[in-house]
Amino acid sequence: MSSSNPSTTRGPTDGTPTAVPTTPSASATPSASATAATRAATDKLLMVRSVDFLKSKDGQNRREHHTDAYFSDKMIIRRGQTFQMWIEFSRPFNPKSDNLQLQLKLEPIFISSPGVRISVPLVDVLEDGRWEMKIVEQKDNRVRLSVNTLPTASIGRYKVTVESFSQRGRLLYPCTPNDVYMLFNPWCEDDPVYLDNEAQRKEYILNSMGRIYYGTEQQIGARTWNFAQFEQDVLEACLFLLERGQVAMTEWRDPVIVSRMVSALVNSNDDRGVLVGNWSDSFEGGTAPTAWSGSGDILRQYYKSSGKSVKFAQCWVYAGVTTSVLRCLGIPTRCVTNFSSAHDTDLSLTTDIYLDDKLELIKDETSDSVWNFHVWNESWMTRPDLPPGNGGWQVVDATPQEPSQGSYRCGPTPVSAVRNGQVDLKFDTPFVFAEVNSDRIYWQKKPDGSVSQVHVEKNTIGQRISTKAVGSESRMDITHLYKYPEGSEEERIAVETASRFGSKPTVYPLPTEKDVSVEIVMDGAGPRIGEDAKLSIVLTNKSSKQRTASLLYEVMVMYYTGVLKGTVKKERIPVDLKPQETKTIPWTLQHKEYIDHLVDQGALMLSITGRVNQTKQILATQFNFRLRTPDLIITPVEEAVVDKELTVKITFQNPLSQELKNVLFRIEGLGMQSVRKIEHGDVEKLATVTLMEKFVPTVSGSQKLLASMDCRQLTQVHGFADIVVKPK
C-alpha cells in the first residue's frame, strides 16, 4: 500500500538520528508570552532516543494480534489492527509545535521492484481504513502511540523509520533491526481472508499439528503432520520464499496472488522452489517422502541454503509444506485428500483406459491415470476477481502435475465452481473438476487401429474427500462440497455444464443388455504387509438366463499415482452363472508372490476384464488396495513437566521375514525446534526394536511427539503420541 512520501534522508543503521534542518514557519513560532523554560525546550531538536515496539511474546501486541505462538522475538502483527509502541525523546513532546511520522518500507532483495513505501501521519482521532497513528499516553519524555494499519496492506517485513519534526528541523531515526512483520488477518472483517468462526481460526491458522490422509478409499490411513508454522526461522523462510516468486511486492496484499505464487514456489520444477518431486522407488541423495513428518526442517533447510531445493517430495509433502507457508502468512489453510483422484492429461474431463482386442490393458497408451489418493490444499478467501458466490474455500495444489499459464502450479480454484461444473472460471477449474468428477471410460482398440467405447464406470472418481475435523483428530468427509450426489439432477447438470468445455465430447455407448455385474470386495481394513492378500470377486447375474464368461484378472504393482510398475500375477478363469445367481470367488495373492516387487507404500491394483458370451457385454473394473504397515508405538514412561527431562519409549516390530538395512528414525514435536535423527542400523527379520529417548519439554499444555522410520525395504511407518506437559 503506497501513499505520498515526503523527502527523507536515510540515517545510519545503528539507530542514530540524522538531522535535516528546516526553517520554522511563522505559525510554529512560540508566542511572546511563552515562558523562558518552554522557549528553551521548544528551541531544541526533537531527538528520538529509543523505540519500544512492545514485541515480547506475552505482551499486548503479540497477544492481540494472535502472533504470540511464533517462536521469534520479532514484532509480528496482523494487518487491519492497531498496534502499540513507545517512543522516548530527548525532551518532552509538545503537541503544539512538534510532529511525528512513521515511514514503513518493504524493500525487495531479489527483484527489481520499487517495493512499498507507506507514510503514517499523526492524527487526533483514528479512522478505520487509513494508515494513521495517535498519541494515547504521554509520560515525561515518552509517548505511547496507537498505530492503525490497513486491512489491504502488503504483507512482509517492513523497515521502520521515525521522523520527528520540530521548529529546529527534522530528524530521522531508523529502527533497525527492529523490523515489523505484517501478516494477513483472518480476525479482521475487512481482510479478504476473514474467517468468522473462532474454532476454525484456531484450527486453520493457529494449530501447528494436523492429520494428512492417504491410502485408498477403503483403506484410509492417517498420519500426523507437524506444520511447524511458528517454529524458529519458519516465518523468515516463508518471506524469503515469496521474494523468489518474482512478483511485485505491491501484489503481496492479495491472497489470491500470494496463494497462487506459493503453489508454484513449493515445487522446484521451474522456479528453484522448495521441494524436488520424486515418484520413483529410489531416493538416494535425499529423504524418502514417507520419512518426513513435518515442514519445519524442510523450510529451514531451504532458507539456510539460500534457496537450494530440498529432496524429495510427493503430494502429501507438498501439501504439508503449503499448509505451513500459508498458515504462517495468515491465510486459513487445510490439507485435503481426494481418493481415486483422476489425472486428466488431455482435459477431456474423462479418464480413459485402453484395452486390446483380447481385453488386456494397453499400459503404454493409457496416459490418464487414477491416483489412489492425492493431497492438495484448500485456502479460505474472497474472490472479488470472480462472479459472486465463488469465495470461501479454494483449491491450491503445489504438486507439479500440469503447467498452468506456463508454470507448474494449480489454483486458487473455487470449490463452489468445481461443484457446479463452472470450469470456465479461473484458476485451473477444469483440471480440478476432472480430478473429482470424471467418468472412467474403457476403450477397445481393434487390430485395424480403430477405437470403440466398450464400458463406462461412473461414481468411481473422487471418493471420500477428506480433511481433519475442526478441534478433533477425526476425519471429516467433505465430498459434498465438491460434487452433488451421483445420479442427482444437480450432478448431471454440473457434468453437462463442464463437458461443454472439454477437449472432446463424452460419447456413451448405445444401450445393450447389461445383466451381469462384477465387483471386488475386501474384508475389513485389508491385508498387512508380510501376509497373504485376500480379496473376493463377486459376480451377479440379474437375468433369468444362464450366463458364461471368461474373466482375465491381472494384479499389478503400482505407485500410488496410478503409474503401473509391472505385473505380479495374471490368469484367466471361466465363470458359469445360473439365472439370478450371485457367485463369490475367493482370490489370494501370496506373500512370496509380491514381496520382491513392491514399491513405495505397498500399492497394488487388481484389474478384471471379460466378455459375457451370450450378450457380448464387456465386464471391466479395477480395484486399488495397499498392504498396511505397522505403526511406531510411542509411550512416555513418566510425567511430562516443563524443563524436566522426560523419557519416552518408541517401539517397532519388523513385519517382514527379511532384514531391514540402514534404519533411520526421525522424531519431532514436543516444542523442539528441529528434527532429531537416530541412525539405528539394521533390524533383523521379525525383530522388535525399542528406543529410549530423552526430551526436555519447554512449553506446557497438550503437545504431540511424532516419529517416522526411514528404510529402503519398508516405508510409510510412523506414529505419534499426545503428551500433556505440566507447568513447573
Side-chain angles (χ1 to χ4, degrees), residues 305-343:
S305 67
S306 299
K308 183 179 179 181
S309 300
V310 179
K311 301 174 181 179
F312 292 107
Q314 291 176 6
C315 69
W316 66 92
V317 186
Y318 286 118
V321 172
T322 299
T323 299
S324 303
V325 173
L326 294 177
R327 283 190 188 181
C328 183
L329 297 177
I331 300 177
T333 302
R334 61 190 185 185
C335 289
V336 172
T337 302
N338 179 38
F339 292 96
S340 292
S341 185
H343 181 179

Side-chain angles (χ1 to χ4, degrees), residues 155-204:
I155 64 165
R157 176 180 178 174
Y158 286 86
K159 295 188 178 301
V160 182
T161 300
V162 178
E163 290 188 85
S164 58
F165 301 87
S166 67
Q167 295 181 21
R168 298 281 295 179
R170 175 166 64 101
L171 292 177
L172 304 184
Y173 183 88
C175 299
T176 304
N178 291 312
D179 300 331
V180 172
Y181 291 74
M182 192 173 299
L183 309 176
F184 292 106
N185 193 351
W187 285 266
C188 173
E189 291 186 18
D190 296 321
D191 194 307
V193 303
Y194 173 65
L195 194 56
D196 64 358
N197 183 299
E198 179 61 21
Q200 291 182 348
R201 289 191 292 247
K202 287 181 179 178
E203 183 68 54
Y204 300 134

Side-chain angles (χ1 to χ4, degrees), residues 120-164:
V120 186
L122 187 66
V123 297
D124 293 328
V125 179
L126 292 178
E127 295 185 31
D128 290 339
R130 295 185 179 183
W131 280 102
E132 294 176 336
M133 61 182 181
K134 67 172 289 188
I135 295 175
V136 292
E137 187 177 355
Q138 185 164 357
K139 288 183 177 179
D140 301 324
N141 292 3
R142 301 169 69 227
V143 297
R144 183 164 64 92
L145 295 169
S146 182
V147 184
N148 206 28
T149 65
L150 274 190
T152 54
S154 289
I155 64 165
R157 176 180 178 174
Y158 286 86
K159 295 188 178 301
V160 182
T161 300
V162 178
E163 290 188 85
S164 58

Side-chain angles (χ1 to χ4, degrees), residues 353-410:
I353 297 170
Y354 293 90
L355 309 173
D356 63 17
D357 58 334
K358 296 179 182 178
L359 298 182
E360 295 197 21
L361 190 66
I362 307 175
K363 300 180 181 67
D364 57 354
E365 288 201 21
T366 303
S367 58
D368 290 348
S369 61
V370 179
W371 298 29
N372 285 354
F373 69 95
H374 179 43
V375 188
W376 59 64
N377 299 96
E378 286 178 0
S379 294
W380 182 270
M381 65 192 73
T382 60
R383 289 301 298 269
D385 56 322
L386 295 178
N390 287 292
W393 289 116
Q394 313 285 317
V395 173
V396 177
D397 190 353
T399 300
Q401 295 184 83
E402 299 290 331
S404 171
Q405 295 178 323
S407 178
Y408 278 93
R409 56 189 168 183
C410 182

Side-chain angles (χ1 to χ4, degrees), residues 476-510:
M476 181 168 64
D477 193 302
I478 57 172
T479 309
H480 63 284
L481 298 181
Y482 281 84
K483 52 187 185 179
Y484 295 101
E486 183 71 27
S488 67
E489 183 178 359
E490 296 94 338
E491 186 262 346
R492 281 295 104 190
I493 291 172
V495 171
E496 289 170 14
T497 300
S499 67
R500 294 202 304 266
F501 298 93
S503 65
K504 67 171 183 249
T506 301
V507 180
Y508 293 110
L510 294 173

Side-chain angles (χ1 to χ4, degrees), residues 4-229:
S4 60
N5 181 38
S7 61
T8 61
T9 300
R10 187 182 301 274
T13 57
D14 61 356
T16 305
T18 301
V20 183
T22 60
T23 303
S25 62
S27 60
T29 305
S31 65
S33 60
T35 64
T38 302
R39 187 181 300 112
T42 304
D43 284 347
K44 292 181 180 178
L45 280 166
L46 184 67
M47 299 179 64
V48 176
R49 296 291 193 203
S50 64
V51 174
D52 183 358
F53 280 111
L54 304 173
K55 60 183 182 176
S56 66
K57 289 178 61 173
D58 57 353
Q60 179 183 0
N61 283 330
R62 296 279 293 270
R63 280 186 289 104
E64 290 182 352
H65 286 254
H66 307 279
T67 61
D68 48 315
Y70 287 86
F71 185 81
S72 169
D73 60 357
K74 307 288 195 304
M75 173 63 164
I76 306 170
I77 61 172
R78 299 189 187 276
R79 64 186 193 174
Q81 262 182 266
T82 59
F83 66 88
Q84 309 289 308
M85 60 183 289
W86 282 95
I87 300 179
E88 182 182 8
F89 298 107
S90 56
R91 60 172 174 79
F93 181 85
N94 185 345
K96 295 181 179 179
S97 57
D98 298 330
N99 204 351
L100 278 178
Q101 189 165 261
L102 292 185
Q103 295 290 342
L104 278 68
K105 298 178 186 177
L106 270 183
E107 296 180 328
I109 298 173
F110 300 113
I111 51 180
S112 55
S113 164
V116 175
R117 296 192 173 200
I118 299 162
S119 295
V120 186
L122 187 66
V123 297
D124 293 328
V125 179
L126 292 178
E127 295 185 31
D128 290 339
R130 295 185 179 183
W131 280 102
E132 294 176 336
M133 61 182 181
K134 67 172 289 188
I135 295 175
V136 292
E137 187 177 355
Q138 185 164 357
K139 288 183 177 179
D140 301 324
N141 292 3
R142 301 169 69 227
V143 297
R144 183 164 64 92
L145 295 169
S146 182
V147 184
N148 206 28
T149 65
L150 274 190
T152 54
S154 289
I155 64 165
R157 176 180 178 174
Y158 286 86
K159 295 188 178 301
V160 182
T161 300
V162 178
E163 290 188 85
S164 58
F165 301 87
S166 67
Q167 295 181 21
R168 298 281 295 179
R170 175 166 64 101
L171 292 177
L172 304 184
Y173 183 88
C175 299
T176 304
N178 291 312
D179 300 331
V180 172
Y181 291 74
M182 192 173 299
L183 309 176
F184 292 106
N185 193 351
W187 285 266
C188 173
E189 291 186 18
D190 296 321
D191 194 307
V193 303
Y194 173 65
L195 194 56
D196 64 358
N197 183 299
E198 179 61 21
Q200 291 182 348
R201 289 191 292 247
K202 287 181 179 178
E203 183 68 54
Y204 300 134
I205 289 290
L206 300 181
N207 194 354
S208 61
M209 290 284 179
R211 301 280 273 170
I212 298 179
Y213 299 95
Y214 65 93
T216 69
E217 63 197 80
Q218 296 193 34
Q219 296 173 286
I220 296 178
R223 66 180 304 150
T224 302
W225 192 267
N226 180 16
F227 296 121
Q229 70 266 36

